[in-house]
């Protein structure tokens, strides 16, 4: 895996972990969950 | 690739270990996901669906056919899930083991029902009536889940096995149920205390507790004593878990003492029994095993009374049941996940505020760090700022307690040494300006200790907006941030090296000159250009000398790059440099082109300050080099004419009247052109 691809994958992993945690910590519809999911989706689109 | 507590990215672990990633790995593994492939195109809804699926219990997903199948039916396309095929794994490991053995274990692990043919049933009955083989089967199953989803998965798999065996025996050979249950009672004495506790508290359905009651009631004194002694000898489990399991299995104090006496005999007969200090070790273990857990030390009498009362009140409220739906909805809102999170935060803040005992206050630091890491991970900065401010307050000089100060300092150090910067960096690009300002203030409040991790984060950061915001935080630290320049200027990333230059420009002063000099030799033209600009910004003779030296001693390529960089700075900042070049650089030899470009650049800038050095250049020349002298004089006269101020015109007029033949010739042509143009004021402007 090339360095930029690894960094992208690493970042995606952290976004997924953050999104999951936000979904565990806050009720559905909370803006923090939305922001984390948005961020995860943006990253995974690349 | 999903491992029990780690995720690998193409066989490589993540850049830094992170508790959040380990938790994610555990969760994915619990769902038996062995590999996760992410394809581009997952929108918010698709990711939300996946998270909701992960939020279900592994058991419920397995009942629906396993996570891979369920995900496929949900039309999830951006993720490819590959489930671990334990049956396959076990076949590879066990080689010649009986097929039924593998199938039973695979069924138990994957949550599917037992599907055995007649031969399989016969084989399973054979195992079930043989206590040793049954114990071995259970042990294999427990170890198989070892690489899997933790105690819950182990417990669920074992419970499925027990239930499956009972079902098969009940249907095929009910008369053997009693000996099979006794064998089970003997076999579960082999499991770990954690799994034993899990089995004893199994609540998946009504059958679990009943089955376990049937098995436990058949455990002999010898089995329980062996269960204790084996774990004491092997030191394979924390004593408190063993004690809890023991006390759950044996309720009566007298019986507990009797069984411990039996266990002691076992341990004494082992090699541990002949070691020095055995009695003392055993007494310590026995004391723990006989001491019941009590919450007395944690709960005051008053709180205990309220707690007991609340139970009665809840029952009363339920009985009356005259609340309108909207009130019930509001009540439910108070225990929603977000509300609980807010209560959690309030509780921590209250504890930090009211706890009078310094040592107990220090014990709060571990959960406080855990809470902060969670908040920063998800980007709940407002909550994180509240908690951080308490720590910062204790670290400040106003803190009345040096002990607390030390605790708070250690907590801040641990927080920063952990995942904090990575979590903050993750969110920097997406938060709004107002929140970013609050985050910046929080970072600065933590003190200089954050500067180094900030520089580390910045030195590898690729995203422009994140880099810009990290730089802004670093600058907010003031002169302390200067220390980071050393690290940043050697980064592999040209953008980060440019950030280092940006920092040098922000901090100002000639202290940066040595660092900037190094960057003049950078391979990246953009970095060189930034370095030249920064040096021009300093604008002292020392700064210009450095550029002169770089121009004198550098390669042709680097010289061109520097001159090009200088040429792109089209404002009065570069006038002093070109003046310096005309005053110090030799107009003959290798640097002649630079001299000529300095003349042209001064003309292009049209800065009135350029007139005097250009006049000097106009009068410079050697009779033995007429062509070079003529070229330079024409260039100087043209540059003076481009400036076009009254002073410039006077210089040309003076040259036409009093200059030597060559000077007159150069000046005359430019003067006549200048006179045909509209006059330019002393302050500049006029020529397009």
């Amino acid at each position: 895996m090339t360095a930029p691809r690894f960094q992208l994958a690493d970042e995606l992993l952290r976004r997924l972990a953050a999104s999951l945690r936000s979904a565990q910590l806050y009720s559905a519809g909370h803006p923090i969950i939305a922001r984390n999911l948005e961020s995860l989706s943006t990253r995974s689109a690349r | 690739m999903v491992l029990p507590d780690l995720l690998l990215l193409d066989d490589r672990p993540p850049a830094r270990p992170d508790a959040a990633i380990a938790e994610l790995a555990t969760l994915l593994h619990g769902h038996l996901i062995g590999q996760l492939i992410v394809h581009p195109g997952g929108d918010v809804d698709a990711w939300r669906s996946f998270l909701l699926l992960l939020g279900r219990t592994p058991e419920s997903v397995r009942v629906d056919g396993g996570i891979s199948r369920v995900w496929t039916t949900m039309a999830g396309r951006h993720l490819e899930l590959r489930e671990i095929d334990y049956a396959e794994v076990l076949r590879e490991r066990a080689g010649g083991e009986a097929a039924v053995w593998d199938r039973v274990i695979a069924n138990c692990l994957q949550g599917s029902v037992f599907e055995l043919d007649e031969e399989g049933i016969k084989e399973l009955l054979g195992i079930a009536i043989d206590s040793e083989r049954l114990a071995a089967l259970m042990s294999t199953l427990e170890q198989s889940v070892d690489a899997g989803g933790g105690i819950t998965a182990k417990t669920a798999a074992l419970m499925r096995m027990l239930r499956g065996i009972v079902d098969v025996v009940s249907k095929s050979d009910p008369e053997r149920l009693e000996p099979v249950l006794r064998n089970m009672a003997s076999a579960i004495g082999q499991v770990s205390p954690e799994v034993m506790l899990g089995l004893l508290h199994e609540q998946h359905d009504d059958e679990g507790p009943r089955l376990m009651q049937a098995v436990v009631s058949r455990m002999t004194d010898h089995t329980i004593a062996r269960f204790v002694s084996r774990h004491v000898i092997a030191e394979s489990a924390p004593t408190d878990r063993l004690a809890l399991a023991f006390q759950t299995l044996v309720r009566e104090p007298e019986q507990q003492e009797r069984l411990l006496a039996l266990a002691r005999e076992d341990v004494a007969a082992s090699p541990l029994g002949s070691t020095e200090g055995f009695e003392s070790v055993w007494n310590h273990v026995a004391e723990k095993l006989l001491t019941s857990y009590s919450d007395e030390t944690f709960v005051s009498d008053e709180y205990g009374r309220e707690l007991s009362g609340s139970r009665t009140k809840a029952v009363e409220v339920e009985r009356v049941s005259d609340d309108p739906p909207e009130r019930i909805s509001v009540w439910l809102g108070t225990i929603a996940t977000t509300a609980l999170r807010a209560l959690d935060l309030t509780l921590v803040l209250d504890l930090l505020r009211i706890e009078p005992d310094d040592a107990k206050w220090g014990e709060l630091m571990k959960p406080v760090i855990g809470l902060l890491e969670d908040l920063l991970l998800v980007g709940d900065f407002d909550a994180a700022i509240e908690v951080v401010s308490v720590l910062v307050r204790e670290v400040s000089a106003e803190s009345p307690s040096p002990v607390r100060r030390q605790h708070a300092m250690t907590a801040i150090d641990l927080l920063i040494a952990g995942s904090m910067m990575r979590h903050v960096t993750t969110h920097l690009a997406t938060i709004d300006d107002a929140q970013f300002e609050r985050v910046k203030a929080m970072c600065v409040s933590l003190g200089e200790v954050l500067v180094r991790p900030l520089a580390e984060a910045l030195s590898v950061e690729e995203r422009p907006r994140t880099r810009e915001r990290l730089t802004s935080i670093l600058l907010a630290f003031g002169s302390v941030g200067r220390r980071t320049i050393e690290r940043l200027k050697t980064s592999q990333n040209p953008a980060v090296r440019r950030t280092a230059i940006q920092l040098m420009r922000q901090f100002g002063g000639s202290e940066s000159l040595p660092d900037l000099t190094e960057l003049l030799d950078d391979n990246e033209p953009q970095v060189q250009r930034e370095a030249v600009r920064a040096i021009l910004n300093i604008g002292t003779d020392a700064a210009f000398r450095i550029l002169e030296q770089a121009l004198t001693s550098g390669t042709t390529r680097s010289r061109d790059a520097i001159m090009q960089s200088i040429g792109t700075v089209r404002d009065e900042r570069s006038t002093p440099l070109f003046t310096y070049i005309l005053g110090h650089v030799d107009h003959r030899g290798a640097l002649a082109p630079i001299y000529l470009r300095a003349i042209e650049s001064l003309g292009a800038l049209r800065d009135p300050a350029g007139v005097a050095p250009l006049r000097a250049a106009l009068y410079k020349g050697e009779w033995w080099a007429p062509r070079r002298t003529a070229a330079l004089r024409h260039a100087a006269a043209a540059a003076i004419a481009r400036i076009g101020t009254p002073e410039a015109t006077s210089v040309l007029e003076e040259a036409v009247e009093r200059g030597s033949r060559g000077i007159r010739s150069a000046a005359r042509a430019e003067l006549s052109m200048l006179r045909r143009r509209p006059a330019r004021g002393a302050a500049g402007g006029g020529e397009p």
Side-chain angles (χ1 to χ4, degrees):
Chain A
M1 190 184 274
T2 58
R5 191 159 168 257
F6 179 78
Q7 196 175 6
L8 193 68
D10 191 71
E11 174 68 20
L12 185 64
L13 197 57
R14 289 177 200 286
R15 299 269 175 176
L16 177 56
S19 299
L20 178 69
R21 199 80 183 107
S22 67
Q24 290 168 333
L25 296 181
Y26 302 91
S27 306
H30 195 282
I32 285 181
I33 302 179
R35 204 171 64 209
N36 276 289
L37 277 173
E38 186 66 46
S39 194
L40 173 65
S41 160
T42 308
R43 272 276 138 184
S44 72
R46 294 185 190 181
Chain B
M1 179 80 76
V2 184
L3 300 182
D5 56 358
L6 181 67
L7 294 171
L8 297 179
L9 306 165
D10 272 4
D11 295 333
R12 282 172 64 186
R16 298 264 187 116
D18 200 316
I21 292 179
E23 279 178 31
L24 174 64
T26 304
L27 182 67
L28 294 174
H29 208 87
H31 278 286
L32 301 180
I33 296 173
Q35 197 178 24
L36 186 72
I37 299 171
V38 183
H39 297 294
D43 61 14
V44 168
D45 287 338
W47 279 108
R48 183 181 285 115
S49 302
F50 179 60
L51 293 186
L52 286 172
L53 180 58
L54 282 184
R56 290 176 55 188
T57 63
E59 289 75 17
S60 75
V61 177
R62 273 173 222 157
V63 166
D64 290 347
I67 196 157
S68 181
R69 190 182 296 175
V70 176
W71 180 240
T72 309
T73 61
M74 289 167 74
R77 295 191 190 284
H78 74 293
L79 287 177
E80 222 176 290
L81 308 180
R82 301 213 173 138
E83 258 179 275
I84 303 164
D85 185 347
Y86 274 109
E88 187 62 36
V89 173
L90 289 169
R91 251 191 301 280
E92 282 173 16
R93 283 186 189 161
E97 290 281 7
V100 68
W101 184 286
D102 290 355
R103 265 160 57 202
V104 166
I105 288 178
N107 286 153
C108 294
L109 291 173
Q110 292 177 336
S112 45
V113 291
F114 279 24
E115 285 173 358
L116 301 175
D117 53 18
E118 266 187 49
E119 195 59 33
I121 290 171
K122 203 171 151 190
E123 178 68 22
L124 183 63
L125 285 173
I127 294 171
I129 58 166
D130 182 332
S131 63
E132 281 187 18
R133 287 178 72 199
L134 182 60
L137 179 62
M138 286 181 71
S139 174
T140 307
L141 179 60
E142 191 184 350
Q143 283 162 20
S144 303
V145 193
D146 223 355
I151 299 302
T152 313
K154 282 184 188 182
T155 309
L158 279 170
M159 185 54 84
R160 270 193 296 272
M161 173 181 279
L162 298 178
R163 204 177 296 150
I165 292 173
V166 167
D167 282 350
V168 168
V169 174
S170 303
K171 284 175 195 158
S172 315
D173 198 354
E175 286 180 8
R176 286 191 167 171
L177 190 58
E178 179 56 34
V180 166
L181 283 173
R182 279 202 303 272
N183 282 344
M184 283 180 175
S186 167
I188 68 162
Q190 310 281 324
V191 301
S192 67
E194 286 86 356
V195 171
M196 179 69 84
L197 282 168
L199 288 170
L200 292 170
H201 295 104
E202 175 79 7
Q203 293 293 335
H204 292 306
D205 51 44
D206 293 340
E207 293 300 318
R210 250 188 289 170
L211 174 59
M212 275 314 291
Q213 209 176 0
V215 174
V216 169
S217 65
R218 287 166 173 80
M219 285 178 84
T220 63
D221 287 356
H222 177 70
T223 302
I224 297 174
R226 280 291 300 155
F227 169 72
V228 171
S229 62
R230 201 176 51 257
H231 291 294
V232 171
I233 293 165
E235 293 180 287
S236 55
T239 314
D240 55 345
R241 308 301 295 162
L242 180 60
L244 205 52
F246 175 66
Q247 287 159 14
T248 312
L249 284 170
V250 189
R251 300 279 180 187
E252 297 302 318
E254 293 81 15
Q255 199 189 358
Q256 286 175 354
E257 286 189 25
R258 189 164 48 79
L259 293 187
L260 276 188
L262 280 175
R264 188 195 171 283
E265 283 175 24
D266 273 349
V267 181
S270 75
L272 181 67
S274 53
T275 56
E276 199 179 334
F278 162 70
E279 283 303 330
S280 139
V281 170
W282 175 258
N283 287 339
H284 173 73
V285 170
E287 191 187 347
K288 275 221 161 188
L289 291 174
L290 290 172
T291 310
S292 298
Y293 168 78
S294 166
D295 58 12
E296 246 173 56
T297 52
F298 307 108
V299 180
S300 68
D301 291 345
E302 195 185 352
Y303 185 72
R305 270 197 303 277
E306 285 295 321
L307 208 56
S308 308
S310 67
R311 198 177 307 158
T312 326
K313 280 176 194 156
V315 171
E316 203 175 312
V317 167
E318 176 66 19
R319 191 175 52 78
V320 175
S321 185
D322 62 349
D323 294 298
E326 55 272 24
R327 192 180 299 164
I328 292 175
S329 167
V330 172
W331 282 353
L332 287 174
T334 64
I335 52 163
T337 320
T338 303
L340 292 178
R341 167 94 331 212
L343 283 171
D344 193 23
L345 179 67
T346 308
L347 175 69
V348 169
L349 291 170
D350 283 352
L351 281 172
L352 288 171
R353 188 168 46 83
I354 64 175
E355 177 55 63
D357 186 306
D358 286 350
K360 285 184 179 166
W361 195 88
E363 286 171 20
L364 289 170
M365 293 301 102
K366 194 175 172 188
V368 162
I369 293 169
L371 174 64
L372 273 171
E373 288 194 332
D374 265 354
L375 295 173
L376 294 172
L377 169 71
V378 301
D380 191 347
F381 290 115
D382 291 333
I385 287 165
E386 279 193 74
V387 183
V388 164
S389 68
V390 176
L391 298 180
V392 169
R393 204 165 43 241
E394 288 299 337
V395 170
S396 73
E398 295 139 34
S399 173
S401 163
V403 179
R404 282 188 187 210
R405 187 163 188 262
Q406 190 54 50
H407 285 311
M409 277 169 73
T410 309
I412 288 176
D413 286 349
L414 286 172
L415 182 67
I416 293 172
S419 312
M420 178 184 166
M421 267 327 294
R422 284 196 301 287
H423 294 337
V424 171
T425 306
T426 302
H427 296 284
L428 273 187
T430 52
I431 54 177
D432 61 30
D433 287 346
Q435 195 165 41
F436 169 65
E437 288 305 320
R438 292 198 290 278
V439 171
K440 182 159 79 174
M442 176 189 79
C443 289
V444 173
S445 75
L446 288 169
E448 291 179 23
V449 68
L450 196 68
V451 168
R452 188 186 162 89
L454 253 177
E456 281 172 0
L458 189 53
S459 66
V460 293
E461 186 54 56
E462 297 280 347
R463 295 158 294 181
R465 187 163 170 77
T466 305
R467 207 169 49 238
E468 179 194 313
R469 287 188 153 174
L470 283 170
T471 308
S472 171
I473 297 173
L474 204 48
L475 284 170
F477 276 93
S479 58
V480 182
R482 188 186 281 275
R483 287 183 215 148
T484 61
I485 290 171
E486 186 63 33
R487 170 182 288 271
L488 300 181
K489 79 171 199 282
T490 55
S491 165
Q492 295 292 313
N493 183 349
V496 175
R497 298 201 294 278
R498 292 210 315 274
T499 303
I501 297 173
Q502 191 191 338
L503 286 171
M504 291 181 217
R505 288 179 69 169
Q506 294 280 350
F507 291 129
S510 51
E511 283 172 53
S512 313
L513 279 174
D515 291 324
L516 289 169
T517 309
E518 277 182 47
L519 292 168
L520 282 176
D521 291 329
D522 202 282
N523 291 329
E524 194 67 33
Q526 225 177 334
V527 176
Q528 272 188 328
R529 203 153 43 235
E530 293 284 343
V532 170
R533 281 182 187 162
I535 293 174
L536 286 175
N537 220 35
I538 293 171
T540 60
D541 270 3
F544 296 146
R545 255 198 309 281
I546 282 169
L547 284 180
E548 184 201 352
Q549 277 162 13
L551 288 168
T552 312
S553 56
T555 61
T556 311
R557 187 170 159 271
S558 114
R559 206 158 49 214
D560 286 348
I562 294 172
M563 275 314 286
Q564 208 176 358
S565 306
I566 292 170
T568 59
V569 184
R570 300 223 174 256
D571 60 38
E572 65 281 2
R573 275 176 304 160
S574 47
T575 303
L577 172 69
F578 296 131
T579 305
Y580 182 90
I581 290 174
L582 294 190
H584 295 80
V585 169
D586 194 346
H587 60 283
R588 298 163 296 186
L591 296 185
I594 289 169
Y595 188 88
L596 182 62
R597 276 177 76 172
I599 290 174
E600 290 165 352
S601 300
L602 274 177
L605 284 173
R606 280 177 255 158
D607 182 353
V611 173
L614 285 170
R615 183 187 180 280
L618 178 64
Y619 282 82
K620 209 175 259 185
E622 293 82 23
W623 61 266
W624 64 85
R627 288 175 74 178
R628 182 186 65 214
T629 301
L632 289 176
R633 280 175 178 166
H634 278 289
I640 293 169
R642 282 187 83 181
I643 294 174
T645 58
E647 190 198 350
T649 310
S650 302
V651 167
L652 289 177
E653 286 169 347
E654 183 200 0
V656 169
E657 285 167 22
R658 298 182 206 158
S660 65
R661 192 157 62 94
I663 294 171
R664 283 204 306 276
S665 159
R668 193 177 296 118
E670 296 301 332
L671 189 61
S672 67
M673 282 173 70
L674 182 61
R675 279 178 176 154
R676 286 200 290 275
R677 289 207 306 261
R680 231 184 129 213
E687 191 186 344

